[in-house]
Amino acid sequence: ALSFANDQTFATTVSVQVFDINGRMLAIARLLVPPKTSTARFLSELIPGLPSRHIGPVRVDSFAGIYAMGLRFTGSVLTAIPPALSGFIF
C-alpha cells in the first residue's frame, strides 16, 4: 500500500510508476490528492492486474511537495517503508 499526505493549500497529482526487478517500467497511475488531506491506496487498486507478490521498485513523483510512505503487509504484520529521495531540487 502507499500513503500520501498533501499539506499544500491546493490539490496535487501524484504519479506512481511500477518497475520490474530488471528496471523496466510495467505501468503508471496517477492519483489526485486534495489539499490538506491524506489518502492511502493498495498498489493493486492503482495498477489493476499487478501480481500480488510483485517484486520491483515503485517510484512516486509529484510537482508539489507531498509526504509519501510505503506500507507492506506480511501475514499479519504491517511495516512502514520510508521513501528514498531521488532528484530532489532545493
Side-chain angles (χ1 to χ4, degrees):
L2 299 169
S3 175
F4 306 102
N6 179 7
D7 198 29
Q8 307 292 334
T9 57
F10 50 87
T12 188
T13 299
V14 175
S15 170
V16 177
Q17 301 168 19
V18 177
F19 298 86
D20 69 11
I21 196 73
N22 298 311
R24 292 182 298 245
M25 187 166 57
L26 299 176
I28 187 169
R30 289 179 177 77
L31 175 69
L32 183 67
V33 182
K36 302 290 184 182
T37 63
S38 61
T39 187
R41 296 285 188 277
F42 287 107
L43 199 52
S44 61
E45 288 180 86
L46 295 171
I47 313 289
L50 190 66
S52 62
R53 299 211 180 261
H54 169 75
I55 296 174
V58 175
R59 179 181 173 148
V60 175
D61 289 316
S62 176
F63 289 108
I66 61 157
Y67 301 97
M69 181 69 64
L71 303 168
R72 179 176 40 208
F73 294 104
T74 308
S76 61
V77 178
L78 175 68
T79 305
I81 305 168
L85 293 179
S86 172
F88 187 74
I89 300 174
F90 290 94

